[in-house]
Amino acid sequence: MYRSNWDIRRCIARANPSGFPRTMDEAVLSPASPPVLYQSLDPRVVKLWRIHSLIASAVLLAVAGIAMLFMGFGQVLPWNSLVAGWIGLLLLRLFFLFWQAWVYRAWGYRLDGKVLETRHGVWFRTMQLLPLARLQHVDLHSGPIERSLGLASLMLHTAGTHEATIVIPGLDANEAVRLRDHLVMVGGDDGV
Amino acid sequence: MGSEPPPLPPVLPAQVAPGLTQGLLLEGRLHPLTLIFSAWHTFRGVLIPLIVILFFGRKRAEDAYLPLAFLFLVLPLGFATIRYFTFTYKIQNGELITHHGVLGRTQRIIPLSRVQDIRIDQSVLHRLFRMADVHVETAGGKEPEASLSVLSLAEAERLRSAVFDLKGLSATAAPAPPAREIIRQLTLRELLLAGVTSNQVASAVAVLLVVWRLLDQFMRPELYQRWIERSTEAAATWLTQLGSGAWVVFLFFFIAAIAIGMVFSVVGSVVMFYGFTLARSGEDLHRSYGLFTRRSSSLPRRRIQVLKIEETILRRLFKLATLRAGTAATTGSHHHQEKGGRDMLLPIVPKAQVEGLLPAFLPDLDEGGEWRKVARLAVRRGTIKGSAALTILAVILYWMRPDWPSLWPFFLVPAVYWVNVMSYRYLGYLHGPRYFRTRHGWMRRSTHIVPIRNAQVVVLHQTPLDRRWKVASVLVDTAGKANTSGPPQIHNVVYDEAVELARALARQAAETRFKL
């Protein structure tokens, strides 16, 4: 249930030995290297993102509604175009609720020896590779809604200047702690 | 200052036995002349307002002088006195410790192994009295970690050698004082060339603005406003009479502006970099330069995060290049105009010699290696992008004046294609066992060299179009935030290759030790 057709087309195998939800890289493109398995985020993160999106939508739609009323009674624009605009906005926000599932599917991380690899992005894809020996410090962050869902995010800071911080959102709170300790342990011995 | 000012002495050998690195090594306070220099600084700062008040101010304003004098002279002098009497520094147990302040006492501890760069700056006045400002830089922050102003030159040198010898000891445990080897000295001819090939028009405009602002401060507007009005009127009538001849006049002024700019940049380059010497003793790259204000700085070469070889259009005509070293030290953004040439490791060098000089900065640089090309697709994408821009231009022109000559931008499409082919020929990356290099550009070229041990994060980006073409961009982020204008990155790498490259770089980085 974590995959769409969109993703399945790219998969050559559905290996899922640990029972954890996993996604596949498009490494299928290169026949030389074996396909790479990524760990997915906790599925509850979609709920979190949807709640965030709903709150933002509510505020936005309320503000837009008030503006619509003012403009309607002030006869700045005709009522039908105002209502059409407001409904357009509503549909856009509703679309974002579905969008979160796509964002979730695009997200993956994996630990490859001493390198942490993350990938995300639906339209604009980004893959970040962090040599754990470069880890400066790790933040474990958990907002109120996140906490109530039992989630946490990790922020991995390096000494870099342009893409210095890597964020892994939506991890199970216990898993986040475990992952943090593991990353720090692997990174702590500073390579060689 | 009749006689030639004395040159900076070479780095002194260590004044302590290696065993004494623990305990108190050096202790001191600012030089008493601090007071005089602070007074001069304050005075120089208020000089122009003072003149304005004295000569152009209303008469019978004597009552105002007393509070003004207090504000501008007595108060800063008081602060300087306090600073002089409260500021102390010492090197103890491998740390530089400074104390200052009266009410809020500040103690700052800088571990010597974290010092990125020590700068010793001497203005003309400093040189007359053999004094110097010392700035100690560490990674991060907006300002130097410690600024000692002023110390005697001998004391400044003593401080520097103490810091760097200790560092050498802690890093390599080789107690022998390293020999000083001159990497490069710039001749007057090279400085003249550097001036001629730097960006003249911009500097001319800057100078004119400064002159304008000075005039504005000194003169009352009534004095010149009528003069300007009259000359603009005269110019307007003259231009209408001349008709198309006006272009000749404009051309003349344009050439004159460039010539003036060139003179200014040549003078600027010579004044800034006169006597430029880049030397190496042990791990430290030592630069000193300047005709009036003498600057010198020490940069441990392993602190170089990225090295950039820059060839601007004008410099390529003369086969010259500039070397920049990206470090984690402060960017100096608060003094943006007054970088004082610190952003350049070597302001000018013949391109042919660059490759031979590199091992002096990056000792374990990979030998040879093969430059790899990105996807040939880069040419097509560049051409499409350029043509799209030209189309937009043509549409706008046609909309403004709908006839056939407005479509001239389309004739530039072959030129766009040619430019893209030319830049594709140079574009590439070189992935070695210890270093990663990228290069790009057509007229203006630049090459980045990153020691892989300094790579912090490797990033692979794909826009929707990149995905359509199965290519990606690879970016190697480092801690070098100053002087190289962004991290090295390369676009349009075939996706499979990009993934492999990124993973290999990250793996290599994970196997090496990074020390800031």
Side-chain angles (χ1 to χ4, degrees):
Chain A
M1 71 170 285
Y2 304 115
R3 290 201 194 96
S4 65
N5 290 334
W6 174 81
D7 238 329
I8 287 170
R9 264 188 283 126
R10 288 174 165 77
C11 296
I12 52 167
R14 290 200 189 191
N16 195 358
S18 69
F20 271 96
R22 284 171 188 276
T23 53
M24 300 286 293
D25 189 20
E26 306 91 298
V28 186
L29 283 172
S30 125
S33 58
V36 174
L37 289 170
Y38 282 89
Q39 187 79 48
S40 292
L41 303 178
D42 192 296
R44 284 171 289 175
V45 76
V46 180
K47 204 171 180 183
L48 174 76
W49 287 338
R50 282 186 179 149
I51 292 171
H52 282 169
S53 181
L54 275 176
I55 294 171
S57 302
V59 173
L60 198 72
L61 288 171
V63 171
I66 292 167
M68 181 185 76
L69 290 180
F70 268 102
M71 284 202 280
F73 286 115
Q75 291 179 342
V76 183
L77 282 172
W79 276 106
N80 49 4
S81 64
L82 282 171
V83 172
W86 194 83
I87 289 174
L89 193 65
L90 182 74
L91 290 176
L92 190 72
R93 297 308 305 193
L94 281 176
F95 168 72
F96 277 147
L97 293 185
F98 292 97
W99 183 254
Q100 308 298 353
W102 291 35
V103 174
Y104 171 77
R105 270 179 222 116
W107 245 104
Y109 67 94
R110 72 187 190 112
L111 203 58
D112 177 18
K114 291 174 179 171
V115 177
L116 177 80
E117 203 178 305
T118 70
R119 45 160 284 185
H120 56 91
V122 178
W123 285 97
F124 291 83
R125 299 259 173 104
T126 301
M127 185 170 136
Q128 290 167 308
L129 296 107
L130 169 67
L132 290 174
R134 301 293 177 275
L135 211 51
Q136 295 280 333
H137 65 278
V138 185
D139 290 339
L140 188 83
H141 176 86
S142 187
I145 306 173
E146 243 174 324
R147 261 204 309 278
S148 69
L149 288 168
L151 293 174
S153 18
L154 280 187
M155 286 169 204
L156 310 161
H157 298 273
T158 69
T161 43
H162 292 84
E163 311 244 358
T165 306
I166 292 178
V167 182
I168 308 181
L171 296 166
D172 175 78
N174 297 323
E175 168 67 8
V177 171
R178 197 194 63 79
L179 185 63
R180 177 193 63 186
D181 294 345
H182 184 69
L183 294 180
V184 169
M185 192 195 71
V186 176
D189 68 349
D190 196 19
V192 279
Chain B
M1 49 171 290
S3 65
E4 171 126 345
L8 289 177
V11 179
L12 299 171
Q15 296 187 337
V16 283
L20 285 178
T21 54
Q22 298 301 306
L24 189 66
L25 180 63
L26 182 147
E27 193 173 23
R29 46 170 59 269
L30 300 178
H31 196 276
L33 279 178
T34 299
L35 294 175
I36 307 290
F37 278 99
S38 296
W40 165 248
H41 262 285
T42 319
F43 184 66
R44 206 181 51 177
V46 299
L47 193 59
I48 288 172
L50 216 64
I51 289 173
V52 171
I53 289 168
L54 283 179
F55 290 94
F56 298 101
R58 280 181 300 138
K59 302 278 181 281
R60 308 199 41 79
E62 287 89 350
D63 310 345
Y65 289 168
L66 210 63
L68 272 178
F70 178 76
L71 206 67
F72 285 126
L73 291 172
V74 180
L75 217 58
L77 258 181
F79 282 129
T81 317
I82 291 170
R83 194 164 64 93
Y84 168 67
F85 280 109
T86 57
F87 195 104
T88 62
Y89 62 89
K90 61 183 172 189
I91 294 183
Q92 194 172 25
N93 298 332
E95 285 164 342
L96 172 66
I97 303 169
T98 65
H99 279 97
H100 62 94
V102 184
L103 297 175
R105 300 273 302 164
T106 304
Q107 183 191 38
R108 179 167 284 182
I109 301 179
I110 307 169
L112 296 187
S113 58
R114 292 284 176 271
V115 174
Q116 292 277 333
D117 191 351
I118 291 191
R119 291 186 287 123
I120 299 184
D121 289 354
Q122 283 186 292
S123 68
V124 178
L125 201 66
H126 286 135
R127 288 168 72 183
L128 272 175
F129 293 96
R130 298 186 60 73
M131 294 290 130
D133 283 353
V134 179
H135 303 283
V136 180
E137 307 248 15
T138 61
K142 284 265 178 284
E143 286 175 25
E145 210 62 44
S147 288
L148 304 125
S149 166
V150 295
L151 297 180
S152 73
L153 186 58
E155 179 66 12
E157 289 292 346
R158 206 158 79 87
L159 185 69
R160 172 161 72 189
S161 52
V163 169
F164 280 101
D165 287 335
L166 266 186
K167 275 177 57 185
L169 284 173
S170 58
T172 57
R180 184 177 145 95
E181 165 208 348
I182 289 179
I183 297 172
R184 183 129 192 121
Q185 275 175 316
L186 294 186
T187 60
L188 193 58
R189 187 182 157 273
E190 284 173 311
L191 290 182
L192 291 175
L193 258 182
V196 169
T197 55
S198 63
N199 192 358
Q200 328 91 358
V201 180
S203 35
V205 169
V207 167
L208 283 178
L209 273 177
V210 169
V211 171
W212 175 253
R213 278 183 58 183
L214 264 181
L215 284 178
D216 210 36
Q217 281 199 340
F218 277 114
M219 298 203 304
R220 281 173 299 179
E222 307 92 74
L223 283 178
Y224 58 86
Q225 222 156 32
R226 278 194 51 199
W227 181 78
I228 285 180
E229 275 167 21
R230 231 180 300 156
S231 46
T232 38
E233 270 169 36
T237 48
W238 189 56
L239 281 180
T240 45
Q241 279 163 10
L242 268 176
S244 63
W247 286 106
V248 182
V249 180
F250 276 126
L251 201 68
F252 171 77
F253 273 113
F254 184 67
I255 292 170
I258 288 182
I260 292 170
M262 208 175 269
V263 168
F264 274 115
S265 47
V266 165
V267 170
S269 150
V270 171
V271 167
M272 174 73 80
F273 290 117
Y274 183 78
F276 184 97
T277 309
L278 175 64
R280 181 173 71 84
S281 44
E283 277 297 295
D284 292 325
L285 297 168
H286 181 219
R287 281 173 291 172
S288 64
Y289 52 92
L291 184 60
F292 299 120
T293 296
R294 193 90 188 138
R295 297 163 208 271
S296 94
S297 79
S298 287
L299 168 75
R301 64 178 172 183
R302 64 179 174 80
R303 299 260 198 247
I304 296 177
Q305 308 286 332
V306 199
L307 196 76
K308 186 183 180 193
I309 305 164
E310 199 177 70
E311 300 163 81
T312 57
I313 300 169
L314 273 171
R315 292 202 170 152
R316 276 196 61 209
L317 292 177
F318 294 90
K319 296 195 174 7
L320 294 169
T322 303
L323 289 189
R324 291 174 189 275
T327 65
T330 49
T331 47
S333 54
H334 61 305
H335 279 169
H336 200 83
Q337 297 92 357
E338 289 183 50
K339 274 196 174 152
R342 278 192 290 132
D343 51 328
M344 286 179 234
L345 185 61
L346 194 50
I348 198 147
V349 61
K351 179 75 208 299
Q353 295 177 21
V354 170
E355 202 61 28
L357 283 176
L358 289 180
F361 310 123
L362 310 166
D364 55 345
L365 190 66
D366 308 322
E367 297 273 328
E370 175 205 356
W371 283 96
R372 301 199 61 173
K373 297 219 142 295
V374 302
R376 173 86 198 171
L377 179 80
V379 176
R380 204 195 314 174
R381 292 185 76 182
T383 311
I384 291 173
K385 215 185 277 179
S387 307
L390 287 177
T391 309
I392 291 171
L393 182 66
V395 166
I396 291 172
L397 286 175
Y398 194 80
W399 176 69
M400 279 161 60
R401 228 183 74 180
D403 54 6
W404 290 112
S406 299
L407 298 177
W408 60 264
F410 285 118
F411 287 100
L412 293 179
V413 170
V416 168
Y417 175 73
W418 184 75
V419 165
N420 275 291
V421 170
M422 292 313 276
S423 38
Y424 178 75
R425 282 196 188 158
Y426 191 65
L427 190 66
Y429 65 92
L430 196 160
H431 177 202
R434 287 181 298 271
Y435 285 83
F436 177 66
R437 311 190 197 192
T438 64
R439 63 178 192 192
H440 53 84
W442 164 58
M443 288 287 276
R444 185 194 164 90
R445 288 178 170 177
S446 59
T447 307
H448 286 86
I449 307 178
V450 198
I452 295 173
R453 63 170 188 276
N454 289 340
Q456 301 291 332
V457 183
V458 184
V459 185
L460 191 134
H461 280 299
Q462 252 193 323
T463 63
L465 272 179
D466 279 340
R467 277 166 50 210
R468 158 94 180 66
W469 298 112
K470 294 189 173 54
V471 293
S473 311
V474 177
L475 180 151
V476 180
D477 195 16
T478 68
K481 60 182 167 189
N483 311 338
T484 48
S485 60
Q489 55 179 318
I490 184 123
H491 303 287
N492 289 315
V493 185
V494 177
Y495 180 74
D496 285 358
E497 226 176 285
V499 171
E500 236 161 81
L501 173 70
R503 285 190 180 141
L505 284 171
R507 220 172 295 131
Q508 277 167 285
E511 292 303 323
T512 52
R513 189 182 292 273
F514 169 72
K515 245 185 115 183
L516 199 63

